[in-house]
Amino acid sequence: MTRVTGKSAGALRVLAVDDEKPALDELVYLLRARTEIGEIHAAGDATSALRMLRAHPVDAVFLDINMPGLDGMELAGILSEFANPPAVVFVTAHDDRAIAAFDLGAVDYLLKPLREARLAEAVRRITATHQPAAEPRTDPSEVIPVELGGVTTLVPRASVSWVEADGDYARLHTSGGSHLVRIPLSALESRWQDAGFLRVHRSYLVALRLVTGLRTVGTGTVVCLRAEGEARAVELPVSRRQVRELKHRLVHRHRHRGAL
């Protein structure tokens, strides 16, 4: 089934996949209400979805998980092997597959019954992955003044691997060593969020360029950073509320770099 709206040619092309017709119809209805979305296709199972994708490439797939035959996770794995894979958003009644979904590179994970506000956020994320990365609002040559023994040293932001909260101060872990600065971690988070840094925990800010992966430790998650200069390889805790955002930023960064 194909639905085409009368929207601009630059609007997103999407495919909705769900084996339950009422759920599929509701998803298509909500998608049609989004001004960012133009062409909408729909399929009732993964096999039909793959046939449709061969004839109609899309920008994003909204995908249920539990389906007969190939399930949503298996279909997402196949899509990830495409030369130009579409963004994947899972839409499911199950809340226990989110980690596996993001490990497959999902842009978002929506729970049924679907809320318009969450769908809007998912569409925003898809749109972001299809736009060139915005130019950083901060100066790429920014330096941080560090005072030690009456001597002021200028530390380039580009040399910072991760930052650790130290009371009202912050400790910069850089390729040239460790430096304590009289700047709150929250201030650096605000200044550097568009320069490839993300607050992953109340005590840690990390440079995304150095992230090599995530892993589960007990009931928590840690982010792995490779060594750079005198900054050693480390594993830092990630707060539960930041896991999704970190995975989203890493996937977005990987896709943008792959497109260059």
Side-chain angles (χ1 to χ4, degrees):
M1 175 174 62
T2 302
R3 311 272 180 104
V4 182
T5 70
K7 300 176 186 176
S8 69
L12 294 171
R13 302 163 300 169
V14 303
L15 168 64
V17 187
D18 198 312
D19 65 307
E20 296 182 358
K21 191 175 187 305
L24 181 60
D25 289 345
E26 179 186 18
L27 177 55
V28 169
Y29 173 79
L30 293 173
L31 289 170
R32 291 182 69 188
R34 303 301 313 170
T35 58
E36 307 94 331
I37 294 176
E39 188 175 295
I40 302 174
H41 304 274
D45 58 74
T47 302
S48 298
L50 286 171
R51 285 199 299 266
M52 192 166 292
L53 287 170
R54 293 189 184 99
H56 305 283
V58 299
D59 301 306
V61 177
F62 289 79
L63 180 60
D64 188 23
I65 291 181
N66 287 345
M67 295 187 295
L70 284 174
D71 67 19
M73 291 291 182
E74 293 168 327
L75 176 56
I78 293 172
L79 297 181
S80 69
E81 300 298 323
F82 281 23
N84 294 298
V88 172
V89 174
F90 284 99
V91 184
T92 177
H94 302 277
D95 62 1
D96 59 347
R97 308 290 296 278
I99 292 178
F102 284 112
D103 283 343
L104 285 170
V107 169
D108 212 339
Y109 189 92
L110 309 182
L111 291 176
K112 299 176 182 177
L114 191 56
R115 295 186 292 114
E116 290 185 32
R118 282 295 290 118
L119 180 62
E121 170 63 15
V123 172
R124 183 195 67 77
R125 292 186 174 191
I126 294 168
T127 302
T129 66
H130 283 79
Q131 293 177 343
E135 290 297 322
R137 292 195 295 266
T138 53
D139 183 353
S141 61
E142 180 181 345
V143 294
I144 304 298
V146 176
E147 296 182 12
L148 182 61
V151 177
T152 300
T153 302
L154 300 179
V155 176
R157 185 188 64 210
S159 70
V160 177
S161 300
W162 53 287
V163 187
E164 180 180 10
D166 194 335
D168 293 332
Y169 293 0
R171 182 169 295 280
L172 309 178
H173 295 270
T174 78
S175 56
S178 174
H179 310 279
L180 188 66
V181 295
R182 296 180 180 179
I183 305 174
L185 188 64
S186 58
L188 291 177
E189 174 192 10
S190 178
R191 285 165 54 178
W192 293 0
Q193 62 182 349
D194 291 330
F197 285 79
L198 180 68
R199 182 86 169 263
V200 297
H201 185 274
R202 67 178 182 273
S203 298
Y204 301 107
L205 180 71
V206 303
L208 297 176
R209 73 181 191 281
L210 298 179
V211 173
T212 59
L214 303 174
R215 71 184 185 91
T216 301
V217 178
T219 59
T221 301
V222 298
V223 59
C224 309
L225 275 68
R226 70 174 184 268
E228 184 178 61
E230 294 184 29
R232 68 187 189 284
V234 295
E235 294 185 349
L236 302 173
V238 181
S239 64
R240 292 185 64 181
R241 66 184 181 86
Q242 283 298 96
V243 170
R244 175 178 293 184
E245 181 62 20
L246 176 56
K247 290 184 175 181
H248 169 66
R249 290 281 298 273
L250 292 174
V251 169
H252 185 190
R253 184 179 180 86
H254 173 74
R255 284 181 175 166
H256 176 60
R257 291 180 63 186
L260 296 179

